[in-house]
Amino acid sequence: MKLVYTDVLVIGGGLAGMRTAIGVKRRGLDTIVLSLVPAKRSHSCAAQGGMQASLGNSVMGRGDNEDVHFEDTVKGSDWGADQKVVRMFTHVAPKAIRELAAWGVPWNRVRQGDRETVINAERVVITEDPRTHGLITARDFGGTKKWRTCYTSDGTGHAMLFALGDQTIANGIPVMERMEAIALIHDGGRCYGAIVRNLVNGELTAFVARATTIATGGYGRIYKVSTNGIICEGIGAAIALETGQAQLGNMEAVQFHPTAIVPAGILTTEGCRGDGGILRDVDGHRFMPDYEPEKRELASRDVVSRRMTEHMRAGKGVNSPYGDHLWLDISVLGRTHVEKNLREVKEICHYFLGIDPARDWIPVRPTQHYSMGGIRTDHTGQSPTLKGLFACGEASCWDMHGFNRLGGNSVAETVVSGMIVSEFIGDFCQGEGRDINIPTRLVGEFLEREQAALDRLQQGHGRESAAPIRQRMEEIMIDKVGIFRTGEELDEAVGELETLIERSRHIGVRSRASGANPELVGAYRLQKMLKLAMCVALGARERTESRGAHFREDYPQRNDRDWLNRTLATWTDEKATLPKLDYESIAVDSMELPPGFRGYGTRNHLDHPDTEKRVAEVERIRSEKPDADRFKLQHALMPFDHLLPEKYRGRNERVEIKND
């Protein structure tokens, strides 16, 4: 038996994983990062548009602060988010931006004087104040009141990932590539590390750690078409689910991005619309103002995706061999802008579509993009039901996104959660988690169990093949658990997925290779992915309301009275074909921003019985403190500072320029 001991095991080598590793290493803890691929090829590098932080440097972001960012995020979540976590996030985001700048991320900067930009499809001139010249600038993104998304042209994730990769090296943190965690080691309610498979030679190793952090990203590849990289199969969340102890939260909350290219499904950044690009239909008509006259193309992502789908259903889509699509027109921005600020989009269009987006319209349609659900954690990033297990980034349900995420908040969450959670991991490892009290015998049993499962796949003469089962799973998810959902289709999805789970238990592989074996990898991953797909489908079937990205055509109303809660999924029996669902109430009586009208379409929600009382209480607190500054008022409404690690509690500084 091969054993490796460390203080902290980080599973996932993207932005969230590396920032967590840097944080705990700086606390003096030995740290190992495991990555499926070379770390600088993690899916984080695909993030194009930017990272939200309320700096307020640009003239179009003037007046922005944590309060405005908080309100945008809570409304964007359709009141599904944990408002104290949102406060923690919005407070630390400006600190994260500045830290990354110090580490070498070349953020685009304010340039004083006049510059031309496109707003609402019209060319306008804006004038930047000389006092902000050289400071980090921002672009517009959907669902925000201010221009807040800091960016490096359209290669933000790439620039951030390389900067963090360099810091990982500088801090002497080992990153072990081509290593996949296939099971968590646990004893009752305590996690002690993971069983890890070397994807090159097939060897299994037990990594034993005081704290284990999962930062493996989302589960988009359970869908047939996704903007996610092929490594985004949700295995980190799945191995947590398979413990029978850790819970997954809000798995039915799956976001579709409005502008993925057809047919490849590769993302064109929201920066295209943020910079002034527009959506057109088969007639060349700009249709979004017809649906959302105020926000138009920059409504929240879930709203734009539904409006696009509605428009295609109405017969206004463009017919193609790959199904209907609509057009994204960024030619209105001009060639100079496209080639400077949207250069990656230009390359994608050139290589995958053979078009020039500075001249030609881009064929797009909504495509699965982001997973709001994940491993349920508390505000420290730790699982409430499995001590020693932490999660951050898209793999977690922290929960700052609720049922819909704003563009730019996910890239921000990776580094902000890494900063915050790493401090709590440090506290845990130097406090209650200091000792590892797990017998070597138990570690050996976990390793033997996983080896036996792999041997059964290779030598058990199973009659099923993984490929057709996976293909059918992906089709079910895109066809029946997509943007618009109905009870009938969700019933069908759950029933079919149960059948596929049963079939997956009889998979056999033909290749007996003990080392690199893609067939074997595909087989054991599929068994885990099917469980995630079932959590999504069953959670969606049981949630008889519409909230954020979860839209039920048979229950179109947001129902705060009965459904202001989080779905919690646990797989308690490894022989089961369904998870156990529980629900965690979201308390209205402590909200800083009580539930209300989100601002899109017509008002269509059923109030929670505590909402009216909390609204009155918030108004009373505000009226009693007419002269209080925003910090004292915020503290009176919902204290959160005490939740933050002390090093991140300081206030953010901004250039104070009053609006003209």
Side-chain angles (χ1 to χ4, degrees):
M1 178 174 64
K2 188 173 181 180
L3 273 168
V4 175
Y5 290 92
T6 186
D7 291 324
V8 181
L9 178 66
V10 178
I11 303 171
L15 289 173
M18 286 202 287
R19 185 57 187 85
T20 301
I22 293 166
V24 294
K25 181 68 173 182
R26 289 182 165 185
R27 291 286 297 266
L29 298 167
D30 289 337
T31 308
I32 294 175
V33 176
L34 306 179
S35 181
L36 288 179
V37 295
K40 290 180 180 178
R41 295 294 178 266
S42 296
H43 185 57
S44 296
C45 72
Q48 298 171 348
M51 168 179 166
Q52 286 208 30
S54 58
L55 303 183
N57 294 330
S58 169
V59 65
M60 301 303 292
R62 192 172 297 170
D64 197 13
N65 57 41
E66 300 89 347
D67 296 348
V68 185
H69 192 183
F70 168 81
E71 183 176 338
D72 286 345
T73 300
V74 172
K75 286 186 175 180
S77 77
D78 220 354
W79 277 273
D82 182 330
Q83 293 193 14
K84 290 186 177 179
V85 170
V86 176
R87 269 292 174 189
M88 294 168 66
F89 163 74
T90 58
H91 181 80
V92 176
K95 305 177 194 303
I97 283 280
R98 289 166 176 142
E99 178 182 77
L100 288 165
W103 288 352
V105 174
W107 299 112
N108 285 46
R109 301 280 173 161
V110 175
R111 298 183 65 181
Q112 65 181 4
D114 294 344
R115 69 179 178 95
E116 192 177 72
T117 188
V118 176
I119 300 176
N120 192 23
E122 294 183 2
R123 291 194 173 277
V124 299
V125 174
I126 63 175
T127 304
E128 297 287 4
D129 194 287
R131 287 168 290 183
T132 61
H133 179 73
L135 300 181
I136 298 169
T137 191
R139 61 173 25 137
D140 202 5
F141 252 41
T144 65
K145 292 185 178 68
K146 302 289 184 179
W147 290 24
R148 183 184 302 125
T149 307
C150 308
Y151 62 102
T152 60
S153 294
D154 62 346
T156 306
H158 183 274
M160 292 170 63
L161 193 63
F162 271 67
L164 283 176
D166 292 344
Q167 285 296 313
T168 302
I169 294 169
N171 282 275
I173 300 169
V175 179
M176 304 180 70
E177 300 170 357
R178 312 294 182 187
M179 300 288 278
E180 179 173 23
I182 59 174
L184 293 178
I185 302 168
H186 60 97
D187 180 11
R190 176 75 161 90
C191 180
Y192 290 100
I195 302 298
V196 178
R197 183 173 183 271
N198 186 313
L199 293 173
V200 176
N201 61 25
E203 183 180 46
L204 296 189
T205 302
F207 284 77
V208 178
R210 290 187 173 92
T212 304
T213 305
I214 293 179
T216 51
Y219 44 88
R221 283 291 163 174
I222 64 175
Y223 282 81
K224 183 178 180 180
V225 184
S226 173
T227 66
N228 289 190
I230 60 173
I231 60 173
C232 298
E233 297 172 319
I235 305 304
I239 62 175
L241 180 68
E242 288 181 334
T243 63
Q245 300 288 327
Q247 298 172 315
L248 303 187
N250 288 349
M251 291 294 285
E252 68 269 33
V254 178
Q255 183 181 82
F256 283 67
H257 196 289
T259 55
I261 66 171
V262 176
I266 298 172
L267 179 68
T268 59
T269 173
E270 188 161 323
C272 290
R273 289 173 290 124
D275 289 358
I278 59 177
L279 293 167
R280 299 185 186 274
D281 63 16
V282 66
D283 301 319
H285 171 63
R286 183 191 180 195
F287 60 89
M288 276 305 298
D290 301 339
Y291 295 99
E292 301 294 339
E294 182 181 350
K295 295 296 290 185
R296 301 171 292 272
E297 282 83 3
L298 289 175
S300 196
R301 284 180 179 175
D302 61 318
V303 175
V304 178
S305 293
R306 283 196 294 273
R307 296 308 195 191
M308 290 173 69
T309 304
E310 289 173 20
H311 205 61
M312 287 188 284
R313 283 180 169 185
K316 291 298 184 179
V318 181
N319 292 325
S320 83
Y322 313 102
D324 286 356
H325 66 77
L326 295 163
W327 299 113
L328 172 62
D329 177 11
I330 62 173
S331 66
V332 296
L333 305 179
R335 181 169 298 279
T336 300
H337 184 96
V338 170
E339 294 182 349
K340 179 181 178 182
N341 292 316
L342 298 170
R343 58 196 176 199
E344 194 168 301
V345 172
K346 183 177 184 293
E347 291 177 0
I348 289 169
C349 290
H350 172 72
Y351 288 112
F352 289 90
L353 298 173
I355 65 173
D356 178 1
R359 181 190 64 217
D360 307 315
W361 296 349
I362 307 169
V364 296
R365 67 167 166 247
T367 301
Q368 192 285 334
H369 177 61
Y370 189 82
S371 314
M372 276 77 72
I375 300 166
R376 181 69 184 122
T377 74
D378 59 20
H379 74 278
T380 71
Q382 185 171 203
S383 166
T385 53
L386 188 59
K387 288 289 184 183
L389 176 65
F390 293 78
C392 58
E394 192 175 353
S396 72
C397 178
W398 192 22
D399 168 30
M400 60 159 284
H401 299 305
F403 274 76
N404 177 66
R405 143 183 103 77
L406 296 184
N409 264 359
S410 63
V411 181
E413 184 198 20
T414 59
V415 290
V416 171
S417 65
M419 292 166 71
I420 294 173
V421 171
S422 63
E423 293 301 316
F424 288 118
I425 294 172
D427 293 343
F428 176 82
C429 289
Q430 293 165 352
E432 63 173 308
R434 180 186 299 273
D435 298 323
I436 301 178
N437 298 312
I438 183 169
T440 304
R441 173 189 53 78
L442 183 60
V443 176
E445 289 175 1
F446 271 91
L447 195 147
E448 290 170 6
R449 185 192 71 182
E450 293 307 313
Q451 186 62 64
L454 295 174
D455 291 343
R456 282 195 299 273
L457 284 171
Q458 287 189 288
Q459 302 166 12
H461 309 292
R463 62 182 183 273
E464 294 282 0
S465 173
I469 297 176
R470 175 160 178 169
Q471 181 179 3
R472 185 56 195 149
M473 172 194 71
E474 293 173 352
E475 291 170 349
I476 291 168
M477 296 306 292
I478 201 74
D479 293 338
K480 299 181 180 182
V481 199
I483 295 176
F484 288 99
R485 303 167 176 180
T486 66
E488 181 180 358
E489 288 182 333
L490 292 169
D491 277 337
E492 294 171 358
V494 169
E496 287 193 64
L497 287 171
E498 279 196 274
T499 301
L500 295 183
I501 289 172
E502 289 283 7
R503 289 176 58 189
S504 74
R505 291 169 179 166
H506 304 283
I507 289 176
V509 298
R510 291 171 293 178
S511 173
R512 299 292 187 264
S514 59
N517 190 336
E519 186 185 13
L520 176 62
V521 171
Y524 68 69
R525 286 183 186 172
L526 173 64
Q527 293 173 331
K528 300 177 189 300
M529 294 169 72
L530 282 164
K531 293 176 181 176
L532 298 182
M534 178 59 82
C535 289
V536 175
L538 184 63
R541 187 186 74 177
E542 297 305 302
R543 183 171 288 273
T544 52
E545 67 153 357
S546 292
R547 186 181 298 275
H550 167 73
F551 193 88
R552 288 284 297 264
E553 291 189 279
D554 45 353
Y555 294 95
Q557 187 177 49
R558 191 186 88 205
N559 184 348
D560 292 344
R561 183 191 66 191
D562 303 315
W563 284 104
L564 190 59
N565 55 38
R566 293 183 190 90
T567 306
L568 300 177
T570 314
W571 209 283
T572 53
D573 181 357
E574 63 180 19
K575 296 180 180 180
T577 56
L578 292 171
K580 176 177 178 288
L581 296 187
D582 294 295
Y583 294 94
E584 173 190 357
S585 296
I586 301 174
V588 173
D589 58 6
S590 60
M591 286 185 179
E592 179 180 343
L593 183 63
F597 177 45
R598 193 175 166 204
Y600 298 112
T602 57
R603 185 183 180 94
N604 185 26
H605 69 268
L606 186 62
D607 283 328
H608 189 278
D610 294 338
T611 296
E612 185 177 356
K613 178 183 176 182
R614 181 56 180 168
V615 168
E617 189 173 9
V618 168
E619 290 176 350
R620 177 185 60 77
I621 293 171
R622 290 184 179 277
S623 66
E624 290 176 353
K625 298 179 180 294
D627 300 322
D629 65 27
R630 66 182 183 89
F631 299 103
K632 292 179 180 177
L633 180 59
Q634 191 283 317
H635 184 80
L637 291 170
M638 188 187 70
F640 77 94
D641 303 67
H642 64 288
L643 301 176
L644 279 169
E646 187 173 355
K647 67 187 294 184
Y648 295 129
R649 293 178 187 175
R651 293 181 181 179
N652 296 302
E653 294 185 2
R654 295 178 180 83
V655 177
E656 296 295 333
I657 301 174
K658 294 183 179 180
N659 286 314
D660 297 331

